[in-house]
Amino acid sequence: MIDTLTLSGINIDTAKLYEQNHLDSFLTNLAALLRVDTIYVAAICPQSFELSILSCLQQGVFVPNIEVDFKSMPCFAAYQRGYAEYEQGLASRFPDQKLLQEWQAQAYLGIRLNDAFGQPTGVLSAFFPRQLSKHKLELNLMRLVSGFLEKEIQLTSSCTLSDTPTTSTYSDELNAYTLWLEDNIAKGRLSSWSYFLEQDRLVCSDSAGSIIETESVEKIDKLETLLALVHKLDKTAVLRDFHNAIKSNSTTSICSIFNITTIEGNSKRIQSDIYPIIDESGLVYRLDCISKDITAEELTKKRISAQERILETVLATTPVGLIKLNAKREIKWVNKQACKMFGYELDDFHRLREKGILNTSSLNLYFDEDIEQFEEYYQEIYANKRNNFTLNTRYRHRDGSILWTKLTVTAVRDDVNNIQYFINTIQDLTEEQDNRQRLSMIESVYKHSAEGIMLCDANEKIIDVNPAFEAITGYSAEDAIGRTHGLLRSGVHDKAFYNDISEALLSGNEWKGVIWSRNRDGEIFAQQVTLSSIKEGGKLKYFFAVFTDVTEEKKIEQQIITQSNFDTLTGLPNRQYFSAEIHQVIDKSAKSGQKFAILYIDIDDFKSVNNSEDFMAGDRLLKETAERLKYRSRDNDFLARIDGDEFAFIIPEVVNKRQAEVYAKQLQGVFAQAYQLPNQQRYVTASVGITMYPEDGISVEALMQSAEQAIFEAKRKGRNQCVMFTQELSDAAILKHQTVVELADAIKRGSLDVYYQPIIDNATGKVDKVEALVRWNHQDRGFISPAEFIPLAEEGGLIQGLGEYVLDQACCDLKILHEAGYPYIEMSVNRSCLEFKTVDMQASEWLKVISSHNLPYSSVTMEITESLLMEMDGQYMQRINALKSAGVKIAIDDFGTGYSSLNYLRSLPADIVKIDRSFIINIPENQQDNLLLDGIITIVHNLGMKVVTEGVETKAQLNYLQEKKCDYSQGFLLCRPIPLHELLEFLSQNESVF
């Protein structure tokens, strides 16, 4: 008697199947498993009932050409009814059959074999030398293998017709099935039982004990005992399946899937195939059942399904086209981008797939001449010579046009290297065919992603994690799966934080943010997390987290925040921090009613420190100043460095302006002591601007603006001044702003005037040059001095536009002078430092203006101030050399007003030096001024340059300059600045000014 199914005797060697009849081999193994002496498989003609033995094993020997009287043998009953069983006394039931006596058969089991359409085609017969087992295991095992024998009859018929061997494919499938059967039985996941209706008796195989988790399987002898294990929700359906099987007049099995609670209290998912057994009167008297524990399979399917949904969610949003093909290259999935590329909607693909097989051929995507190339690469993948390929190719768009693409095809294989599916990654190159870029292949997003992925069910239990999760958190998949995601909680966030996340996932589909978690080693780290929900019927089914470790980024972010609030040189708070602190103090003072003061401290003439030494000396002075101010300040004062040489204080609890002024004077005292710089001992002073809260403003912007206006006024008054903000300063600032706005409008509308002051040749008295001087006749305020609006133009960023306007107008008027009969006159145009900084390195912008008026470059002189010499570097020199190379002359204006140094003149390719009027005011009366002027003229001449003296206002001055061979004179004595029409009149009336 066989009490427990085993497959130790049915392991089929695939290699041997290629050498012998695989059906014979299979019957050999099956006979050993059933412990029978005689077994055969026969094909039967349904019209003539002729029986043809395909393979017959008798006493371990295959008997060829055996003859069997089909209609008088037990197999006829099996053929007619679908199965037949004779538990004992077989020879006495068929006394005329000598074969049964010869085979010493006591019992018989037979199963009808059907074709693909359910029509009878043959029979499997087994003759036992003993009585059958009580729980019909033999019959159930024969049912399990009958499907493969049905295939064999079809394959045998096919081979007979085509002479094409099919042994390889069939034997591989049979071998895989046999291994599956052996594994499930060995692990206790497959069992059988029989229920006798009339006796209400249940007989179970020993392996059933493994499924329901009991060692006393013989006690399960009633159907109601077995049904008591079925879950309440499934019991109605199971009873219905049993009822249908009992009422059936067919031998067709009924499949029932349900959940049970085992004797040990564990939940399992069971699949049962129920076979009705009919007696000779056609009534069901017994139910045979093959039961399988499918709990592990269901869980695997669940996890795989969830992983696939995650992948589809990620891949559906990628900006490249993605197409998933099965191993036969039928299209199974596409993302929106792929649909868009080919001119389809997603619904179009779904409808086409429902109509039949969907592939590149049915969609007519390939051009005929390209098919061979595709096929060659695919065949290499099938042959395992490669796993992917990338090529630039074309497809046919839905509208018939050519779609140029970069295609990457990747085969995804299982553990035994069989192809599961292909992923086609498609990048649209239609618009960038001439500039194609290589697209990185998207492969195995879930397993090979650098981002950690965690999948959880609706109860927050972890279902699966990817390798990146393991690397980031330190928890292996085995550690994490089955536990809740709370294992990562660090304690940084409170319960409300996580409740908000849950609410976001329930009400929406996504949550993004940073979560501080704890890894397995106990270290806290920052995760940039995207949580997405997967819902079914509006209810949360799963959710998954995609995250990266951003701990280092957060540390850097904190460093940046620190750096953005503190000055790197002095370590003091910077302007941004200072502004934020004012805001805090305003809030406190508004509640308490207390006043406070803001002081701006600006070091006087700090630029000269860097010019006389180097920037490192300036940095040293600033750092020492910061230390001195910190030492002098009180504990509750707030000190900051808000600009290059500008410091600021917030002084709380100041009662009145007088108290603020006294404190400001004390702070100015820190500059009384000399600074020890590397090359010198230096004394510096500082100007202070003061503003009060709430008198001068109640907002951060208003108070800082008031302090800036006060410090500006202190600077304007001179060095070492202390100025309190007043309304008059505000009015002046408003006027200044209005003036800048109106100046910008005047430049835009071209409503400024250009006047010209003649420059006279001291030898001939003729006008040799004119200097262009801009004038502004304001419609309400009259003439505004250039000394007022030109500095405003520089501060307001208008100087470039103003300079362009003056240069263009001056060149236009110079062309008029030349055409009026004065072609020898040259034009001098002033250029500021800012203009020299912003013009291109070749000064081509200025040269284009000159050439646009058809003027020779040599007719124009660019005047630069002496202060520009102090800032002269390689870039300035490159611009000056470009102008000189073109023929433009260079003049040094206001020489002697700044840090005069004749050494600068030696290195500068200047043509003219213009001496400031301050050098000639006291000549010829003052002998020292005479000697100084004489020396400058002599040195300039020796350097090969011409001299122009500005501000000539007396005849005595002119005579002295002529005597000392000064080249040119310019001043009110000779002619004031005049507009063009007056200049033309002046020239016509004065051939010589002298």
Side-chain angles (χ1 to χ4, degrees):
M1 183 181 297
I2 303 174
D3 291 330
T4 303
L5 292 173
T6 64
L7 288 179
S8 59
I10 203 167
N11 289 327
I12 298 174
D13 187 343
T14 305
K16 292 181 179 179
L17 291 177
Y18 295 125
E19 301 170 1
Q20 64 183 57
N21 186 309
H22 55 276
L23 184 57
D24 292 349
S25 177
F26 180 71
L27 285 184
T28 301
N29 293 320
L30 185 58
L33 180 63
L34 296 174
R35 289 167 54 197
V36 298
D37 290 340
T38 303
I39 186 169
Y40 65 76
V41 177
I44 300 171
C45 177
Q47 289 78 26
S48 63
F49 291 114
E50 291 183 3
L51 182 140
S52 175
I53 301 295
L54 301 179
S55 180
C56 176
L57 180 68
Q58 208 281 315
Q59 296 290 343
V61 178
F62 286 97
V63 181
N65 304 321
I66 186 173
E67 294 184 4
V68 175
D69 185 359
F70 174 48
K71 290 187 177 181
S72 62
M73 286 286 279
C75 57
F76 185 74
Y79 182 77
Q80 291 282 60
R81 295 166 53 193
Y83 72 95
E85 60 176 336
Y86 298 97
E87 297 179 357
Q88 57 187 350
L90 183 63
S92 61
R93 287 175 178 265
F94 299 89
D96 297 332
Q97 286 296 334
K98 295 182 179 180
L99 275 177
L100 298 181
Q101 297 174 7
E102 180 183 334
W103 292 345
Q104 297 180 1
Q106 295 186 27
Y108 169 82
L109 284 178
I111 294 289
R112 184 176 65 202
L113 306 176
N114 301 322
D115 62 15
F117 303 99
Q119 298 301 315
T121 57
V123 67
L124 168 63
S125 293
F127 299 87
F128 296 81
R130 68 186 186 285
Q131 180 180 337
L132 292 178
S133 63
K134 60 184 179 179
H135 40 62
K136 314 303 178 186
L137 285 179
E138 296 87 349
L139 180 60
N140 290 333
L141 181 59
M142 290 175 68
R143 286 193 177 105
L144 286 174
V145 301
S146 62
F148 287 95
L149 294 173
E150 289 172 345
K151 283 187 179 182
E152 170 57 21
I153 293 180
Q154 297 174 45
L155 290 169
T156 301
S157 301
S158 174
C159 289
T160 303
L161 293 173
S162 63
D163 294 329
T164 302
T166 58
T167 303
S168 175
T169 302
Y170 178 76
S171 60
D172 286 345
E173 186 175 1
L174 183 59
N175 188 41
Y177 173 75
T178 305
L179 292 173
W180 172 87
L181 194 62
E182 179 183 29
D183 181 64
N184 278 276
I185 294 175
K187 292 180 178 177
R189 293 198 294 260
L190 194 65
S191 68
S192 68
W193 49 266
S194 296
Y195 174 62
F196 298 87
L197 275 64
E198 186 174 346
Q199 295 90 351
D200 187 24
R201 180 166 57 89
L202 186 71
V203 179
C204 301
S205 68
D206 291 346
S207 56
S210 298
I211 293 181
I212 63 177
E213 297 181 346
T214 180
E215 295 181 358
S216 305
V217 70
E218 67 278 358
K219 293 181 180 181
I220 310 298
D221 58 355
K222 298 291 184 182
L223 184 59
E224 63 182 22
T225 306
L226 192 62
L227 291 176
L229 303 177
V230 178
H231 283 191
K232 183 178 179 180
L233 294 177
D234 295 337
K235 188 164 293 185
T236 300
V238 173
L239 288 172
R240 183 178 62 248
D241 292 338
F242 274 95
H243 178 76
N244 291 338
I246 293 171
K247 295 298 183 182
S248 173
N249 58 359
S250 169
T251 60
T252 303
S253 65
I254 294 176
C255 180
S256 183
I257 298 177
F258 51 89
N259 296 299
I260 69 168
T261 301
T262 68
I263 303 297
E264 296 294 331
N266 297 313
S267 293
K268 290 188 177 182
R269 186 79 165 162
I270 305 298
Q271 176 181 318
S272 291
D273 292 310
I274 306 169
Y275 294 87
I277 307 301
I278 302 172
D279 60 16
E280 294 179 354
S281 61
L283 298 176
V284 175
Y285 75 95
R286 189 179 85 228
L287 297 177
D288 287 353
C289 182
I290 302 174
S291 294
K292 177 187 175 187
D293 180 359
I294 60 172
T295 307
E297 293 180 17
E298 290 283 302
L299 180 59
T300 300
K301 289 178 181 178
K302 185 177 180 181
R303 290 175 59 187
I304 291 174
S305 175
Q307 290 179 359
E308 288 178 348
R309 292 180 67 176
I310 292 175
L311 282 174
E312 289 195 1
T313 301
V314 175
L315 297 178
T317 58
T318 187
V320 296
L322 292 173
I323 301 177
K324 179 180 178 181
L325 310 176
N326 65 12
K328 297 179 181 179
R329 285 147 56 193
E330 297 168 353
I331 298 175
K332 294 300 180 184
W333 182 87
V334 294
N335 69 346
K336 288 184 179 180
Q337 185 64 17
C339 293
K340 182 179 179 181
M341 284 183 187
F342 293 106
Y344 292 89
E345 299 291 338
L346 270 176
D347 290 343
D348 296 334
F349 274 92
H350 296 327
R351 284 193 296 269
L352 290 170
R353 191 166 58 187
E354 288 173 0
K355 290 180 179 180
I357 294 175
L358 186 63
N359 53 35
T360 52
S361 298
S362 63
L363 292 175
N364 197 24
L365 296 181
Y366 291 159
F367 289 87
D368 292 342
E369 53 268 36
D370 297 338
I371 293 177
E372 183 177 348
Q373 181 186 28
F374 282 104
E375 200 59 37
E376 178 184 348
Y377 284 117
Y378 272 111
Q379 291 306 320
E380 288 183 0
I381 291 179
Y382 284 128
N384 208 22
K385 294 180 179 179
R386 61 165 69 221
N387 200 53
N388 56 69
F389 64 86
T390 298
L391 53 86
N392 288 356
T393 187
R394 58 180 181 166
Y395 285 101
R396 184 181 284 107
H397 192 272
R398 189 177 189 180
D399 61 12
S401 61
I402 296 177
L403 177 69
W404 290 101
T405 68
K406 183 174 186 177
L407 168 69
T408 298
V409 175
T410 302
V412 179
R413 302 176 183 270
D414 59 19
D415 294 338
V416 293
N417 212 34
N418 293 325
I419 295 174
Q420 290 184 306
Y421 55 87
F422 294 96
I423 289 292
N424 287 13
T425 304
I426 304 173
Q427 180 184 358
D428 188 352
L429 300 181
T430 305
E431 296 182 358
E432 49 181 303
Q433 183 179 0
D434 296 331
N435 188 27
R436 297 173 183 173
Q437 297 180 351
R438 187 175 183 182
L439 177 67
S440 299
M441 184 173 55
I442 300 175
E443 58 179 14
S444 194
V445 173
Y446 188 77
K447 287 188 177 180
H448 298 96
S449 172
E451 297 177 318
I453 301 176
M454 175 181 68
L455 172 66
C456 297
D457 61 18
N459 297 319
E460 301 185 356
K461 283 190 176 181
I462 299 172
I463 296 176
D464 201 10
V465 297
N466 73 338
F469 173 97
E470 297 177 306
I472 294 172
T473 68
Y475 287 99
S476 66
E478 185 178 1
D479 294 331
I481 293 173
R483 301 172 68 180
T484 69
H485 60 76
L487 85 164
L488 297 176
R489 291 191 179 181
S490 62
V492 173
H493 307 291
D494 58 17
K495 187 177 180 180
F497 175 81
Y498 294 103
N499 289 341
D500 290 343
I501 294 176
S502 299
E503 182 61 30
L505 291 177
L506 289 172
S507 60
N509 294 314
E510 189 177 72
W511 181 89
K512 292 183 178 180
V514 175
I515 300 177
W516 288 90
S517 299
R518 189 183 302 276
N519 64 21
R520 187 170 186 177
D521 294 334
E523 298 172 344
I524 295 177
F525 68 100
Q527 297 172 290
Q528 182 67 50
V529 184
T530 298
L531 287 165
S532 302
S533 61
I534 301 173
K535 297 178 180 178
E536 289 183 1
K539 294 184 178 180
L540 182 66
K541 190 71 174 177
Y542 308 101
F543 68 88
F544 63 93
V546 180
F547 63 89
T548 54
D549 185 346
V550 294
T551 307
E552 291 304 317
E553 290 87 337
K554 285 296 175 183
K555 289 180 179 178
I556 294 172
E557 183 180 305
Q558 188 61 44
Q559 291 175 357
I560 292 173
I561 291 173
T562 301
Q563 293 171 358
S564 66
N565 284 295
F566 289 89
D567 173 43
T568 56
L569 177 65
T570 64
L572 295 175
N574 59 14
R575 176 179 286 271
Q576 177 176 299
Y577 193 177
F578 185 71
S579 300
E581 185 65 19
I582 295 176
H583 191 281
Q584 296 292 328
V585 176
I586 288 174
D587 288 345
K588 292 179 182 178
S589 298
K591 294 176 181 177
S592 64
Q594 292 182 333
K595 297 181 179 183
F596 67 88
I598 293 178
L599 276 61
Y600 275 16
I601 303 173
D602 192 299
I603 300 175
D604 296 324
D605 199 24
F606 178 74
K607 186 177 181 180
S608 66
V609 176
N610 286 333
N611 288 338
S612 62
E613 296 205 20
D614 55 34
F615 73 91
M616 294 184 66
D619 287 350
R620 182 172 177 177
L621 188 147
L622 290 171
K623 290 170 71 174
E624 185 173 339
T625 299
E627 293 301 319
R628 292 184 184 186
L629 290 173
K630 282 194 289 185
Y631 180 77
R632 182 62 62 90
S633 64
R634 303 173 302 176
D635 291 341
N636 57 348
D637 294 341
F638 188 87
L639 170 63
R641 181 190 176 201
I642 61 173
D643 206 350
D645 58 353
E646 196 168 5
F647 297 84
F649 272 95
I650 301 174
I651 312 297
E653 302 173 1
V654 175
V655 177
N656 52 45
K657 293 185 176 182
R658 176 59 184 163
Q659 185 180 1
E661 286 179 329
V662 171
Y663 192 77
K665 292 292 185 182
Q666 292 176 356
L667 292 175
Q668 281 182 311
V670 305
F671 297 94
Q673 184 179 354
Y675 288 83
Q676 300 298 325
L677 301 180
N679 297 326
Q680 61 178 311
Q681 177 177 283
R682 180 126 186 171
Y683 287 91
V684 298
T685 59
S687 299
V688 180
I690 309 170
T691 188
M692 293 286 296
Y693 171 88
E695 294 96 317
D696 302 331
I698 58 174
S699 68
V700 175
E701 294 77 12
L703 290 171
M704 293 184 72
Q705 186 177 25
S706 300
E708 287 174 357
Q709 291 170 4
I711 195 71
F712 182 81
E713 178 65 14
K715 287 288 192 181
R716 191 188 66 79
K717 286 185 175 182
R719 300 179 180 180
N720 204 28
Q721 298 294 312
C722 182
V723 173
M724 178 70 70
F725 173 79
T726 63
Q727 186 58 43
E728 288 75 13
L729 291 180
S730 178
D731 295 340
I734 293 172
L735 178 60
K736 176 181 174 182
H737 174 72
Q738 183 63 29
T739 302
V740 171
V741 172
E742 293 174 348
L743 177 60
D745 184 61
I747 295 171
K748 182 178 180 181
R749 291 186 292 105
S751 58
L752 299 174
D753 299 316
V754 180
Y755 280 37
Y756 303 98
Q757 186 173 33
I759 299 174
I760 310 301
D761 187 327
N762 283 336
T764 64
K766 289 185 177 182
V767 177
D768 189 76
K769 313 175 193 302
V770 293
E771 180 180 359
L773 302 168
V774 65
R775 295 292 183 266
W776 184 11
N777 188 5
H778 193 277
Q779 60 181 358
D780 298 322
R781 297 163 57 188
F783 277 100
I784 298 176
S785 170
E788 178 181 349
F789 71 78
I790 288 180
L792 292 180
E794 292 181 339
E795 292 178 22
L798 303 176
I799 194 65
Q800 290 87 351
L802 178 61
E804 291 174 8
Y805 174 80
V806 172
L807 177 61
D808 184 67
Q809 187 62 48
C811 289
C812 178
D813 291 347
L814 180 60
K815 185 65 176 178
I816 294 173
L817 288 173
H818 286 182
E819 292 176 348
Y822 307 101
Y824 55 86
I825 291 181
E826 299 177 0
M827 180 68 69
S828 291
V829 182
N830 292 284
R831 303 275 86 178
S832 71
C833 295
L834 286 176
E835 289 177 278
F836 254 96
K837 286 181 179 179
T838 56
V839 74
D840 63 284
M841 300 303 295
Q842 301 302 318
S844 58
E845 299 171 20
W846 297 348
L847 295 175
K848 285 179 182 178
V849 175
I850 299 172
S851 61
S852 68
H853 293 282
N854 296 318
L855 293 171
Y857 293 125
S858 59
S859 65
V860 177
T861 300
M862 298 292 182
E863 294 190 9
I864 59 177
T865 60
E866 187 185 47
S867 60
L868 182 62
L869 295 177
M870 300 297 297
E871 300 180 14
M872 190 68 68
D873 59 15
Q875 292 186 349
Y876 282 128
M877 189 61 69
Q878 184 175 342
R879 295 178 175 102
I880 290 173
N881 287 333
L883 291 169
K884 286 286 292 180
S885 298
V888 175
K889 295 182 175 67
I890 302 297
I892 307 300
D893 193 18
D894 299 332
F895 185 80
T897 58
Y899 297 94
S900 302
S901 174
L902 295 175
N903 286 329
Y904 286 113
L905 294 180
R906 292 191 306 172
S907 58
L908 185 69
D911 301 283
I912 299 168
V913 174
K914 300 185 74 173
I915 300 175
D916 187 72
R917 65 184 298 273
S918 60
F919 281 83
I920 67 168
I921 290 176
N922 298 319
I923 64 168
E925 292 83 4
N926 189 300
Q927 189 61 31
Q928 288 184 339
D929 287 355
N930 292 347
L931 291 174
L932 179 60
L933 180 62
D934 293 349
I936 293 175
I937 293 173
T938 300
I939 293 173
V940 171
H941 282 163
N942 289 338
L943 292 174
M945 305 175 190
K946 301 290 186 179
V947 179
V948 175
T949 304
E950 298 178 298
V952 178
E953 297 179 355
T954 67
K955 185 66 174 176
Q957 291 172 341
L958 178 61
N959 291 336
Y960 185 84
L961 293 172
Q962 288 176 322
E963 179 184 340
K964 297 302 179 182
K965 306 301 180 182
C966 177
D967 302 290
Y968 303 100
S969 293
Q970 179 182 355
F972 276 33
L973 174 66
L974 305 171
C975 184
R976 60 182 175 80
I978 52 179
L980 178 64
H981 68 278
E982 293 185 21
L983 176 62
L984 288 169
E985 184 178 351
F986 179 83
L987 292 172
S988 65
Q989 294 176 357
N990 295 280
E991 183 177 349
S992 175
V993 178
F994 303 150

